[in-house]
Amino acid sequence: MSERPDETEKEPSHRLRFGAGLLVATLLVAGVGHRLLSTALGETARFGEDRRAVVSLRALTDLVARAGDGEAVRSVVAGFAAAQPRVAATRVVLFDGVSLEASTDPADSGDDAAPRRLKREEKELYDRGQRLRAAIETNRAEGGARKDEVEKERLADGSLSLAAPIEREGDVVGMVETRRVPPPPAPRPSLLTTLSYVVAPVVLFALLSLVLGDRRAPLGALAAILLAGTAWGYAAQSSAKLSRARTALEADVAASVKESAAKAQELLAALPAPAAPEAPADGAAPEAVPAPSPAPLDPAEWDSDAFRRPLGLSDGAGNVDAAKVAAAIASASATIRRSSLLLGAIALLLLGFVGLGGLAAFLRTLKTHRTAYAYVVPAMVGMVLLVFFPFVYGIVLSFTDQTIYNSNAPLTEIWVGFKNYVSILTDFRVARTAADGALVFNYQNFYWTLWVTIAWTVTNVTYGVVVGLILALILNTKGLALKPAYRVLLILPWAMPNYITALIWQGMFHQQFGVVNQFVQMLGMEPVSWFETPATSFFTAWATNGWLSFPFMMVISLGALQSIPADLYEAARVDGASRWQQFTAITLPSLKPALVPAIILSVVWTFNMFNIIYLVTAGQPAGSTEILITQSYKFAFQKYQYGYAAAYSTVIFGILLVYGVFQNRMTKATEAI
Amino acid sequence: MGLLTKKSRAGADEPPHFPMHVLLVLATLYAIYPVLWVLSIAFSGRQNLAIADVPPDPTFWDRLRTVVPWPAEVSLSNFRSLFADQPFATWVLNSAIVSIATTVVGVFLACTAAYAFSRFRFPGRRVGMMSFLVSQMFPGTLMLIPLYIILVKWLNLGSTRTGLVLAYSTTAIPFCVWMLKGYFDTIPRDLEEAALIDGASSATIFWRIVLPLAKPAVAVTALFSFMTGWNEFILAATLIDKEAMYTAPVGLRFFVGGFSQQWGYFAAGAVVVSIPVVALFLFLQKYLVSGLTAGSVKG
């Protein structure tokens, strides 16, 4: 009696609940929004810095390529570096002679001043150049862009180290490496502005709630509207900020292209007719051909990606391609819109949860049962993190086409919907007829593997039950000598770790040295290559698993047999029942309650018996003896098709789930009878 | 009198024991043959898979010699060089550390959760227990990819013992919880209620009354967790790629997997690794069996 008024007293008003809900929801929106915005601003700043760095490096490589070598290179490098305050050091490496041709690095002064041969401990530098050469050759051979032709590396202090190849007449002859000074810290969104997105709606809610009174519907609507406004406002603000930053960045990059181009032209003009004196020195160059006049610089090429493909956002003369930039900004804005919609929806759910009393009820439950929850939580946290979350994540993966090559891409980019499931489940081409009329099976097909798995499970469980039951019946004989000794020795196969069993049996089936073939030869037959045809290979795995699985059934049956009261048999004998009649009328029915669960369990175990197949046959030949679970492992860890393998595993889970539900119904039905 | 005659008649009715012994001896030979074979390779002092060399033109007796699991000479050299020349001691140590840590963590988590499931009625109890049961059906490979991503890529625990311990102890939890809950259910509540009246806290009751009473079940759970860690192969093979961090199963496979054919080391290692688990298993299998079947009957 005394508790009731107490509780109603504690019940907070709608105003307070929705106020709190709005506070939490706007905090979420503003907090996550702030974080996203500052990441995006940082990324934009980095993007700009990277592009300016690439522009200056590409300009310099073009210059160096035209300058040839020797003094000319050193003069353009020094001249260019002087005009680039953000470049800390530049080094030029030529492969011919393994030389450091030019360097503005303070470390390369005095005795180490360029030009000189590269030192042993500078192998890294030489390797980097060779890597670029190999990358370019690979990309050319493949006609694609797979390997970076401009290497970017962020050093520990946040500065960039870049390397680009020097190409002359299509050959990579060297490399220019630059180190930039550490970039200035990226602009951060102001915390005060973000906070105002929390304070304003909450204050507004407090004021308006005084007008509306403590009624649920209007207050809820008001809070929802304010929340939506907050989310929209923050998204619009972020969008504007980012688009301003991007526009400024493009203008800046275009200006730096123009500036570099001007400086490069100036330096080129200052060079004393570069190639002409070089040509005679180069013995291979015939006299008759005049030194090729180098192609004019193409500054529009410099603003490029890692594969030296121009981005095309500016024309090299300082003009920005407004349409392309606008398109890039629009796509960024669309991303912001999408994520803020999602964020808003989550925040709205949170608002509803807190505002409609869900949180209060939740906290009450937590408090009433706090002891129980305290006991469950440690195990639950572990299970959620390392069992349920991976499970859900695996199912999510099954809808993507993640492989080892794109495993860092966000899942939304590699989302393929049900494609994996469709390609697993709707491919019925299990077998085709070859030219000579023979059937050729496709061992990679899901239905082939399913059939193998079912055959595997049924034959193994049957064998286990039959052998186990027979041995149990014999062991159950009254007064049999040596019973405990037999029992212990017969359990041995179950007690051994099954990976050891699997490896032993795999050895026993070895074609030349295996003991099974010694037996075969003892009987005067030719040794069998067990792992070379599907049937014999399947037999090896089956024999292994049969050996290790009968003791379980034996122990279960023996326990059940021993609990059958002897009176039953005596009564049957008095009635003149034969031995067989006794077996079917008394023994089998009494075994059922113990055997049925054991069989159910053993079916699941055998269905998922990974170790035996994986270690004994490994699917040989050609994957024909894979079962579902080993096949999915192969897809994941040998073919690295993570998404496809996850879908495959989910199908296995589905089969087991259906089996579980079905078996539950069956046992319930049989129990009812 | 009537009873006696019946009994003697029943005795006469029993089938003769001799054929049964024949069958049992055959079955026992079948069961222990591969084990004997491992033993004889282990003690042969050679790396060969074959026990005896077959002469070029073998007679039946030469063939027979090759299938009798007795080494040509008994030697401990495989064991000696397994520990001296191969990093097997490290692998066994890794396995021992992982298994013991798994046992400690797993049993602690399972005991507390099972106690709550057994003694308290709270919202989420049924869902929690069912989810534990269903998790037993998750195919290992479905878990393997995400676990690999979480442990190796996100938590950076690839090739560490911690990663294995985390994975093993959580995968062992559901079975341990169900088993312990079944046992806790059989402990009468009177004692706890009496202690509660005496003013004992819930923690005191759990640690001082329930756990000591449940010692046998806790012991079986502990051994189950230990064996999970000791015998597990595929997760360790996937997560560990540094030879120094191998567990014993991965290490043993290393001897005879791929193109490696060091059967002597494998067999010696298998003997070393199997002895503790086989002993424990033979000692405790009846508890395991009752736990397994009880769980599935309830499910």
mmCIF file of all heavy atoms in Angstrom, chain A residues 108-143:
data_model
loop_
_atom_site.group_PDB
_atom_site.id
_atom_site.type_symbol
_atom_site.label_atom_id
_atom_site.label_comp_id
_atom_site.label_asym_id
_atom_site.label_seq_id
_atom_site.Cartn_x
_atom_site.Cartn_y
_atom_site.Cartn_z
ATOM 1 N N ASP A 108 72.092 15.870 -46.802
ATOM 2 C CA ASP A 108 73.018 15.610 -47.907
ATOM 3 C C ASP A 108 73.916 16.820 -48.170
ATOM 4 O O ASP A 108 73.959 17.364 -49.268
ATOM 5 C CB ASP A 108 72.236 15.269 -49.185
ATOM 6 C CG ASP A 108 71.465 13.996 -49.021
ATOM 7 O OD1 ASP A 108 71.972 13.084 -48.344
ATOM 8 O OD2 ASP A 108 70.342 13.920 -49.547
ATOM 9 N N SER A 109 74.627 17.270 -47.158
ATOM 10 C CA SER A 109 75.532 18.388 -47.377
ATOM 11 C C SER A 109 76.939 17.951 -46.985
ATOM 12 O O SER A 109 77.124 16.859 -46.436
ATOM 13 C CB SER A 109 75.076 19.595 -46.548
ATOM 14 O OG SER A 109 74.949 19.210 -45.192
ATOM 15 N N GLY A 110 77.883 18.790 -47.238
ATOM 16 C CA GLY A 110 79.258 18.452 -46.915
ATOM 17 C C GLY A 110 79.730 17.274 -47.757
ATOM 18 O O GLY A 110 79.579 17.284 -48.984
ATOM 19 N N ASP A 111 80.221 16.221 -47.099
ATOM 20 C CA ASP A 111 80.742 15.052 -47.816
ATOM 21 C C ASP A 111 79.663 14.311 -48.575
ATOM 22 O O ASP A 111 79.940 13.634 -49.560
ATOM 23 C CB ASP A 111 81.398 14.083 -46.815
ATOM 24 C CG ASP A 111 82.737 14.633 -46.326
ATOM 25 O OD1 ASP A 111 83.191 15.620 -46.958
ATOM 26 O OD2 ASP A 111 83.260 14.103 -45.349
ATOM 27 N N ASP A 112 78.440 14.424 -48.043
ATOM 28 C CA ASP A 112 77.355 13.661 -48.642
ATOM 29 C C ASP A 112 76.637 14.419 -49.750
ATOM 30 O O ASP A 112 75.599 13.971 -50.235
ATOM 31 C CB ASP A 112 76.323 13.280 -47.568
ATOM 32 C CG ASP A 112 76.880 12.189 -46.660
ATOM 33 O OD1 ASP A 112 77.800 11.491 -47.128
ATOM 34 O OD2 ASP A 112 76.393 12.049 -45.521
ATOM 35 N N ALA A 113 77.137 15.584 -50.125
ATOM 36 C CA ALA A 113 76.421 16.410 -51.092
ATOM 37 C C ALA A 113 76.302 15.696 -52.444
ATOM 38 O O ALA A 113 77.203 14.960 -52.862
ATOM 39 C CB ALA A 113 77.133 17.738 -51.278
ATOM 40 N N ALA A 114 75.154 15.937 -53.104
ATOM 41 C CA ALA A 114 74.926 15.356 -54.428
ATOM 42 C C ALA A 114 75.801 16.106 -55.423
ATOM 43 O O ALA A 114 76.129 17.275 -55.185
ATOM 44 C CB ALA A 114 73.469 15.481 -54.781
ATOM 45 N N PRO A 115 76.237 15.548 -56.530
ATOM 46 C CA PRO A 115 75.950 14.150 -56.934
ATOM 47 C C PRO A 115 76.914 13.156 -56.300
ATOM 48 O O PRO A 115 78.068 13.473 -56.080
ATOM 49 C CB PRO A 115 76.174 14.207 -58.444
ATOM 50 C CG PRO A 115 77.222 15.258 -58.620
ATOM 51 C CD PRO A 115 76.976 16.275 -57.553
ATOM 52 N N ARG A 116 76.375 12.019 -56.004
ATOM 53 C CA ARG A 116 77.208 10.933 -55.468
ATOM 54 C C ARG A 116 76.463 9.622 -55.684
ATOM 55 O O ARG A 116 75.267 9.622 -56.009
ATOM 56 C CB ARG A 116 77.483 11.161 -53.992
ATOM 57 C CG ARG A 116 76.210 11.162 -53.149
ATOM 58 C CD ARG A 116 76.554 11.232 -51.659
ATOM 59 N NE ARG A 116 75.374 11.543 -50.862
ATOM 60 C CZ ARG A 116 74.473 10.644 -50.478
ATOM 61 N NH1 ARG A 116 74.588 9.379 -50.836
ATOM 62 N NH2 ARG A 116 73.431 11.003 -49.751
ATOM 63 N N ARG A 117 77.199 8.509 -55.458
ATOM 64 C CA ARG A 117 76.542 7.208 -55.514
ATOM 65 C C ARG A 117 75.669 7.037 -54.297
ATOM 66 O O ARG A 117 75.969 7.555 -53.232
ATOM 67 C CB ARG A 117 77.616 6.108 -55.537
ATOM 68 C CG ARG A 117 77.663 5.313 -56.814
ATOM 69 C CD ARG A 117 78.652 4.182 -56.683
ATOM 70 N NE ARG A 117 77.958 2.904 -56.542
ATOM 71 C CZ ARG A 117 77.433 2.251 -57.564
ATOM 72 N NH1 ARG A 117 77.482 2.757 -58.784
ATOM 73 N NH2 ARG A 117 76.835 1.096 -57.385
ATOM 74 N N LEU A 118 74.593 6.283 -54.461
ATOM 75 C CA LEU A 118 73.740 5.999 -53.291
ATOM 76 C C LEU A 118 74.494 5.096 -52.340
ATOM 77 O O LEU A 118 75.269 4.240 -52.763
ATOM 78 C CB LEU A 118 72.449 5.303 -53.723
ATOM 79 C CG LEU A 118 71.345 6.204 -54.255
ATOM 80 C CD1 LEU A 118 70.155 5.360 -54.649
ATOM 81 C CD2 LEU A 118 70.938 7.244 -53.228
ATOM 82 N N LYS A 119 74.284 5.321 -51.052
ATOM 83 C CA LYS A 119 74.962 4.489 -50.067
ATOM 84 C C LYS A 119 74.138 3.237 -49.783
ATOM 85 O O LYS A 119 72.955 3.154 -50.116
ATOM 86 C CB LYS A 119 75.174 5.304 -48.774
ATOM 87 C CG LYS A 119 76.277 6.313 -48.920
ATOM 88 C CD LYS A 119 76.588 6.988 -47.625
ATOM 89 C CE LYS A 119 75.597 8.083 -47.332
ATOM 90 N NZ LYS A 119 75.993 8.954 -46.233
ATOM 91 N N ARG A 120 74.824 2.280 -49.158
ATOM 92 C CA ARG A 120 74.156 1.000 -48.885
ATOM 93 C C ARG A 120 72.888 1.189 -48.054
ATOM 94 O O ARG A 120 71.857 0.589 -48.321
ATOM 95 C CB ARG A 120 75.134 0.075 -48.158
ATOM 96 C CG ARG A 120 74.568 -1.302 -47.858
ATOM 97 C CD ARG A 120 75.657 -2.212 -47.372
ATOM 98 N NE ARG A 120 76.586 -2.573 -48.422
ATOM 99 C CZ ARG A 120 76.360 -3.545 -49.305
ATOM 100 N NH1 ARG A 120 75.254 -4.243 -49.240
ATOM 101 N NH2 ARG A 120 77.227 -3.827 -50.238
ATOM 102 N N GLU A 121 72.990 2.081 -47.044
ATOM 103 C CA GLU A 121 71.814 2.223 -46.176
ATOM 104 C C GLU A 121 70.693 3.035 -46.840
ATOM 105 O O GLU A 121 69.637 3.216 -46.270
ATOM 106 C CB GLU A 121 72.208 2.809 -44.811
ATOM 107 C CG GLU A 121 72.906 4.150 -44.845
ATOM 108 C CD GLU A 121 74.439 4.018 -44.967
ATOM 109 O OE1 GLU A 121 74.911 2.968 -45.448
ATOM 110 O OE2 GLU A 121 75.143 4.967 -44.612
ATOM 111 N N GLU A 122 70.955 3.524 -48.066
ATOM 112 C CA GLU A 122 69.896 4.229 -48.789
ATOM 113 C C GLU A 122 69.190 3.328 -49.796
ATOM 114 O O GLU A 122 68.529 3.806 -50.711
ATOM 115 C CB GLU A 122 70.481 5.454 -49.503
ATOM 116 C CG GLU A 122 70.836 6.555 -48.540
ATOM 117 C CD GLU A 122 71.703 7.639 -49.172
ATOM 118 O OE1 GLU A 122 72.493 7.329 -50.091
ATOM 119 O OE2 GLU A 122 71.577 8.785 -48.750
ATOM 120 N N LYS A 123 69.339 2.026 -49.594
ATOM 121 C CA LYS A 123 68.732 1.064 -50.501
ATOM 122 C C LYS A 123 67.222 1.295 -50.609
ATOM 123 O O LYS A 123 66.637 1.200 -51.686
ATOM 124 C CB LYS A 123 68.998 -0.353 -49.966
ATOM 125 C CG LYS A 123 68.503 -1.451 -50.867
ATOM 126 C CD LYS A 123 69.035 -2.788 -50.425
ATOM 127 C CE LYS A 123 68.651 -3.887 -51.380
ATOM 128 N NZ LYS A 123 67.214 -3.997 -51.593
ATOM 129 N N GLU A 124 66.645 1.644 -49.474
ATOM 130 C CA GLU A 124 65.212 1.965 -49.397
ATOM 131 C C GLU A 124 64.802 2.927 -50.519
ATOM 132 O O GLU A 124 63.823 2.730 -51.195
ATOM 133 C CB GLU A 124 64.962 2.589 -48.026
ATOM 134 C CG GLU A 124 63.526 2.766 -47.653
ATOM 135 C CD GLU A 124 62.859 1.434 -47.310
ATOM 136 O OE1 GLU A 124 63.535 0.383 -47.247
ATOM 137 O OE2 GLU A 124 61.654 1.448 -47.121
ATOM 138 N N LEU A 125 65.635 3.958 -50.689
ATOM 139 C CA LEU A 125 65.361 5.010 -51.666
ATOM 140 C C LEU A 125 65.374 4.430 -53.082
ATOM 141 O O LEU A 125 64.483 4.681 -53.892
ATOM 142 C CB LEU A 125 66.464 6.065 -51.510
ATOM 143 C CG LEU A 125 66.190 7.461 -52.045
ATOM 144 C CD1 LEU A 125 65.021 8.065 -51.306
ATOM 145 C CD2 LEU A 125 67.445 8.309 -51.837
ATOM 146 N N TYR A 126 66.379 3.619 -53.346
ATOM 147 C CA TYR A 126 66.521 3.008 -54.665
ATOM 148 C C TYR A 126 65.349 2.059 -54.922
ATOM 149 O O TYR A 126 64.743 2.067 -55.998
ATOM 150 C CB TYR A 126 67.847 2.243 -54.719
ATOM 151 C CG TYR A 126 68.147 1.631 -56.054
ATOM 152 C CD1 TYR A 126 68.566 2.424 -57.114
ATOM 153 C CD2 TYR A 126 68.009 0.269 -56.255
ATOM 154 C CE1 TYR A 126 68.839 1.879 -58.346
ATOM 155 C CE2 TYR A 126 68.271 -0.294 -57.482
ATOM 156 C CZ TYR A 126 68.684 0.508 -58.530
ATOM 157 O OH TYR A 126 68.937 -0.041 -59.743
ATOM 158 N N ASP A 127 65.010 1.271 -53.878
ATOM 159 C CA ASP A 127 63.899 0.327 -54.014
ATOM 160 C C ASP A 127 62.589 1.035 -54.329
ATOM 161 O O ASP A 127 61.761 0.546 -55.083
ATOM 162 C CB ASP A 127 63.721 -0.477 -52.720
ATOM 163 C CG ASP A 127 64.834 -1.485 -52.543
ATOM 164 O OD1 ASP A 127 65.572 -1.693 -53.530
ATOM 165 O OD2 ASP A 127 64.963 -2.037 -51.440
ATOM 166 N N ARG A 128 62.420 2.209 -53.718
ATOM 167 C CA ARG A 128 61.196 2.950 -53.951
ATOM 168 C C ARG A 128 61.070 3.304 -55.431
ATOM 169 O O ARG A 128 60.018 3.155 -56.033
ATOM 170 C CB ARG A 128 61.211 4.219 -53.099
ATOM 171 C CG ARG A 128 59.845 4.770 -52.843
ATOM 172 C CD ARG A 128 59.912 5.964 -51.916
ATOM 173 N NE ARG A 128 58.569 6.352 -51.539
ATOM 174 C CZ ARG A 128 58.300 7.449 -50.857
ATOM 175 N NH1 ARG A 128 59.263 8.240 -50.451
ATOM 176 N NH2 ARG A 128 57.054 7.757 -50.549
ATOM 177 N N GLY A 129 62.193 3.741 -55.992
ATOM 178 C CA GLY A 129 62.189 4.060 -57.417
ATOM 179 C C GLY A 129 61.897 2.841 -58.266
ATOM 180 O O GLY A 129 61.089 2.892 -59.211
ATOM 181 N N GLN A 130 62.522 1.730 -57.914
ATOM 182 C CA GLN A 130 62.294 0.502 -58.703
ATOM 183 C C GLN A 130 60.851 0.045 -58.587
ATOM 184 O O GLN A 130 60.281 -0.508 -59.525
ATOM 185 C CB GLN A 130 63.247 -0.607 -58.229
ATOM 186 C CG GLN A 130 64.694 -0.344 -58.560
ATOM 187 C CD GLN A 130 64.954 -0.311 -60.058
ATOM 188 O OE1 GLN A 130 64.104 -0.671 -60.865
ATOM 189 N NE2 GLN A 130 66.130 0.160 -60.448
ATOM 190 N N ARG A 131 60.271 0.290 -57.399
ATOM 191 C CA ARG A 131 58.874 -0.078 -57.195
ATOM 192 C C ARG A 131 57.987 0.706 -58.158
ATOM 193 O O ARG A 131 57.072 0.178 -58.773
ATOM 194 C CB ARG A 131 58.501 0.219 -55.745
ATOM 195 C CG ARG A 131 57.437 -0.693 -55.208
ATOM 196 C CD ARG A 131 57.475 -0.809 -53.703
ATOM 197 N NE ARG A 131 57.477 0.449 -53.013
ATOM 198 C CZ ARG A 131 58.330 0.755 -52.037
ATOM 199 N NH1 ARG A 131 59.248 -0.105 -51.678
ATOM 200 N NH2 ARG A 131 58.270 1.920 -51.425
ATOM 201 N N LEU A 132 58.310 2.008 -58.303
ATOM 202 C CA LEU A 132 57.528 2.850 -59.211
ATOM 203 C C LEU A 132 57.676 2.359 -60.645
ATOM 204 O O LEU A 132 56.703 2.283 -61.399
ATOM 205 C CB LEU A 132 57.996 4.299 -59.111
ATOM 206 C CG LEU A 132 57.624 5.018 -57.814
ATOM 207 C CD1 LEU A 132 58.306 6.360 -57.745
ATOM 208 C CD2 LEU A 132 56.116 5.195 -57.729
ATOM 209 N N ARG A 133 58.914 2.000 -60.991
ATOM 210 C CA ARG A 133 59.136 1.521 -62.360
ATOM 211 C C ARG A 133 58.310 0.245 -62.602
ATOM 212 O O ARG A 133 57.619 0.124 -63.605
ATOM 213 C CB ARG A 133 60.619 1.201 -62.562
ATOM 214 C CG ARG A 133 60.828 0.463 -63.866
ATOM 215 C CD ARG A 133 62.123 0.753 -64.484
ATOM 216 N NE ARG A 133 63.198 -0.010 -63.866
ATOM 217 C CZ ARG A 133 64.463 0.060 -64.273
ATOM 218 N NH1 ARG A 133 64.788 0.871 -65.249
ATOM 219 N NH2 ARG A 133 65.380 -0.660 -63.692
ATOM 220 N N ALA A 134 58.370 -0.667 -61.616
ATOM 221 C CA ALA A 134 57.613 -1.911 -61.763
ATOM 222 C C ALA A 134 56.117 -1.620 -61.861
ATOM 223 O O ALA A 134 55.404 -2.218 -62.663
ATOM 224 C CB ALA A 134 57.877 -2.832 -60.570
ATOM 225 N N ALA A 135 55.655 -0.648 -61.056
ATOM 226 C CA ALA A 135 54.226 -0.323 -61.059
ATOM 227 C C ALA A 135 53.803 0.166 -62.427
ATOM 228 O O ALA A 135 52.771 -0.250 -62.962
ATOM 229 C CB ALA A 135 53.939 0.740 -59.990
ATOM 230 N N ILE A 136 54.630 1.046 -63.001
ATOM 231 C CA ILE A 136 54.271 1.591 -64.308
ATOM 232 C C ILE A 136 54.264 0.497 -65.364
ATOM 233 O O ILE A 136 53.351 0.401 -66.187
ATOM 234 C CB ILE A 136 55.258 2.711 -64.697
ATOM 235 C CG1 ILE A 136 54.975 3.913 -63.813
ATOM 236 C CG2 ILE A 136 55.130 3.089 -66.161
ATOM 237 C CD1 ILE A 136 55.990 4.998 -63.938
ATOM 238 N N GLU A 137 55.259 -0.389 -65.281
ATOM 239 C CA GLU A 137 55.300 -1.481 -66.264
ATOM 240 C C GLU A 137 54.085 -2.381 -66.121
ATOM 241 O O GLU A 137 53.469 -2.784 -67.112
ATOM 242 C CB GLU A 137 56.603 -2.276 -66.103
ATOM 243 C CG GLU A 137 57.729 -1.615 -66.877
ATOM 244 C CD GLU A 137 59.111 -2.065 -66.427
ATOM 245 O OE1 GLU A 137 59.191 -3.051 -65.686
ATOM 246 O OE2 GLU A 137 60.093 -1.407 -66.818
ATOM 247 N N THR A 138 53.728 -2.704 -64.864
ATOM 248 C CA THR A 138 52.547 -3.542 -64.639
ATOM 249 C C THR A 138 51.300 -2.877 -65.201
ATOM 250 O O THR A 138 50.521 -3.497 -65.929
ATOM 251 C CB THR A 138 52.338 -3.776 -63.127
ATOM 252 O OG1 THR A 138 53.558 -4.164 -62.560
ATOM 253 C CG2 THR A 138 51.284 -4.820 -62.886
ATOM 254 N N ASN A 139 51.115 -1.594 -64.850
ATOM 255 C CA ASN A 139 49.907 -0.902 -65.313
ATOM 256 C C ASN A 139 49.852 -0.861 -66.836
ATOM 257 O O ASN A 139 48.790 -1.017 -67.426
ATOM 258 C CB ASN A 139 49.870 0.521 -64.748
ATOM 259 C CG ASN A 139 49.576 0.511 -63.261
ATOM 260 O OD1 ASN A 139 49.193 -0.517 -62.703
ATOM 261 N ND2 ASN A 139 49.757 1.643 -62.619
ATOM 262 N N ARG A 140 51.029 -0.651 -67.456
ATOM 263 C CA ARG A 140 51.043 -0.600 -68.919
ATOM 264 C C ARG A 140 50.701 -1.954 -69.502
ATOM 265 O O ARG A 140 49.897 -2.069 -70.431
ATOM 266 C CB ARG A 140 52.419 -0.168 -69.415
ATOM 267 C CG ARG A 140 52.455 1.317 -69.606
ATOM 268 C CD ARG A 140 53.688 1.768 -70.348
ATOM 269 N NE ARG A 140 53.918 3.162 -69.998
ATOM 270 C CZ ARG A 140 55.100 3.681 -69.756
ATOM 271 N NH1 ARG A 140 56.186 2.928 -69.837
ATOM 272 N NH2 ARG A 140 55.218 4.947 -69.455
ATOM 273 N N ALA A 141 51.286 -3.011 -68.899
ATOM 274 C CA ALA A 141 51.050 -4.357 -69.427
ATOM 275 C C ALA A 141 49.585 -4.744 -69.279
ATOM 276 O O ALA A 141 49.001 -5.389 -70.148
ATOM 277 C CB ALA A 141 51.942 -5.370 -68.703
ATOM 278 N N GLU A 142 48.990 -4.325 -68.149
ATOM 279 C CA GLU A 142 47.598 -4.713 -67.921
ATOM 280 C C GLU A 142 46.628 -3.743 -68.576
ATOM 281 O O GLU A 142 45.424 -4.008 -68.601
ATOM 282 C CB GLU A 142 47.315 -4.749 -66.409
ATOM 283 C CG GLU A 142 48.020 -5.900 -65.712
ATOM 284 C CD GLU A 142 47.819 -5.858 -64.203
ATOM 285 O OE1 GLU A 142 47.129 -4.933 -63.731
ATOM 286 O OE2 GLU A 142 48.350 -6.748 -63.530
ATOM 287 N N GLY A 143 47.155 -2.617 -69.025
ATOM 288 C CA GLY A 143 46.280 -1.605 -69.608
ATOM 289 C C GLY A 143 45.318 -1.035 -68.585
ATOM 290 O O GLY A 143 44.217 -0.616 -68.918
#
